[in-house]
C-alpha cells in the first residue's frame, strides 16, 4: 500500500511539474513579446498542443511498435513500452525521472524561444500541455474505472489498443492522428472494447 501510494505521488508530481512549467512559460512569453491578440496566443498554443499529439502518435506507432527482433533494440523497446503492454496497470512502469522531466521542459523552451521568441515559448507551452494531458489520460484509464458519460471514450479507445487490436488506436490523448493516418478503430472494435472493459473493473 505504501509503495502504491509513492508511485501515485510520482505521477502527480510529474503533472504538477508540467502545470507549473506551462504557467511560467506563458508568463515569461507575455513579458518577452508584445502579442497583439488573445486569438494569436491561443493559435500558437493550439499548434503546440496539436504538434505534441503528432509526436505522440509517431513515437508510439513507429518506435514503440516497430517490429525489429535485433538486440539491443528489441530489449530497449520492451523495457520502455512492451512491458507496459504486458502489465498495463502496474504502477512501477509509470515512474518518470524528475531530472529527465526538467531537462525536457528546459530543452523544449530553449528551442521554442531560440526559433520563435515569445511566440515560440507559447508554442512550447501548448506542446507541454499536450504532454501533461497525455500523462493524465494515460494514467487514469489504467487506474480508475470508466465514468458513465462521454469521457468513457478515452477508456474504450485505449482498451482497443491494449486488448483488441494493437495496430489501431495509437493516439492516447486524442484520436485525431489515427483518423489522419487510417489507424482509427472500426465500429466492431469499439463494441468489443466496451465488453472487455467490464472484465477490467477495479
Amino acid at each position: 500500500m505504501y509503495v502504491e501510494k509513492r508511485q501515485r505521488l510520482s505521477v502527480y508530481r510529474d503533472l504538477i511539474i508540467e502545470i507549473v512549467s506551462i504557467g511560467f512559460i506563458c508568463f515569461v512569453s507575455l513579458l518577452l513579446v508584445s502579442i497583439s491578440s488573445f486569438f494569436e496566443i491561443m493559435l500558437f498554443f493550439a499548434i503546440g498542443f496539436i504538434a505534441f499529439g503528432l509526436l505522440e502518435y509517431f513515437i508510439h506507432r513507429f518506435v514503440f511498435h516497430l517490429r525489429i527482433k535485433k538486440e539491443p533494440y528489441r530489449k530497449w523497446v520492451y523495457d520502455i513500452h512492451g512491458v507496459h503492454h504486458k502489465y498495463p496497470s502496474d504502477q512501477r512502469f509509470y515512474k518518470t525521472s524528475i531530472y529527465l522531466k526538467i531537462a525536457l521542459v528546459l530543452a523544449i523552451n530553449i528551442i521554442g524561444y531560440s526559433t520563435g521568441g515569445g511566440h515560440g515559448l507559447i508554442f512550447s507551452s501548448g506542446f507541454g500541455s499536450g504532454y501533461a494531458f497525455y500523462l493524465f489520460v494515460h494514467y487514469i484509464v489504467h487506474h480508475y474505472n470508466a465514468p458513465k458519460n462521454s469521457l468513457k471514450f478515452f477508456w474504450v479507445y485505449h482498451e482497443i489498443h491494449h486488448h483488441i487490436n494493437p495496430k489501431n488506436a495509437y493516439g492516447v490523448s486524442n484520436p485525431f492522428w489515427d483518423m489522419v493516418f487510417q489507424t482509427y478503430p472500426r465500429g466492431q472494435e469499439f463494441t468489443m472494447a466496451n465488453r472487455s472493459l467490464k472484465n477490467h473493473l477495479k
Side-chain angles (χ1 to χ4, degrees), residues 144-157:
Y144 293 92
N145 290 332
K148 297 180 180 180
N149 54 42
S150 59
L151 293 177
K152 183 182 178 183
F153 172 84
F154 290 104
W155 276 257
V156 174
Y157 200 74

Side-chain angles (χ1 to χ4, degrees), residues 29-47:
S29 300
L30 295 175
L31 294 179
L32 291 175
V33 67
S34 176
I35 299 177
S36 59
S37 69
F38 177 75
F39 172 78
E40 191 176 351
I41 294 173
M42 295 307 298
L43 175 63
F44 280 90
F45 185 91
I47 292 173

Side-chain angles (χ1 to χ4, degrees), residues 44-174:
F44 280 90
F45 185 91
I47 292 173
F49 192 93
I50 293 170
F52 174 80
L54 179 61
L55 181 65
E56 171 200 332
Y57 178 90
F58 267 83
I59 290 177
H60 192 183
R61 180 178 180 182
F62 297 111
V63 178
F64 293 159
H65 282 270
L66 188 62
R67 299 286 183 177
I68 295 181
K69 296 183 179 180
K70 292 183 178 180
E71 301 291 357
Y73 181 83
R74 187 196 65 80
K75 184 179 184 303
W76 178 80
V77 169
Y78 177 80
D79 290 344
I80 295 294
H81 189 69
V83 70
H84 169 61
H85 270 266
K86 189 173 182 178
Y87 308 105
S89 296
D90 194 324
Q91 296 187 52
R92 290 176 296 173
F93 308 118
Y94 285 81
K95 185 175 177 60
T96 304
S97 168
I98 188 170
Y99 302 108
L100 177 60
K101 181 76 63 177
I102 294 172
L104 286 173
V105 170
L106 288 174
I108 293 170
N109 296 345
I110 291 171
I111 293 171
Y113 181 65
S114 62
T115 56
H119 293 83
L121 280 176
I122 292 175
F123 171 91
S124 296
S125 68
F127 192 92
S129 295
Y131 183 44
F133 185 63
Y134 158 81
L135 283 175
F136 177 71
V137 171
H138 195 216
Y139 185 79
I140 63 173
V141 297
H142 281 299
H143 296 94
Y144 293 92
N145 290 332
K148 297 180 180 180
N149 54 42
S150 59
L151 293 177
K152 183 182 178 183
F153 172 84
F154 290 104
W155 276 257
V156 174
Y157 200 74
H158 202 50
E159 182 78 4
I160 291 171
H161 179 71
H162 269 275
H163 300 288
I164 307 300
N165 184 1
K167 294 182 179 180
N168 279 343
Y170 291 103
V172 176
S173 58
N174 73 82

Side-chain angles (χ1 to χ4, degrees), residues 4-14 91 139:
E4 181 179 345
K5 184 177 181 180
R6 287 291 299 274
Q7 290 165 342
R8 285 179 182 268
L9 288 175
S10 176
V11 176
Y12 297 150
R13 179 203 63 198
D14 288 348
Q91 296 187 52
Y139 185 79

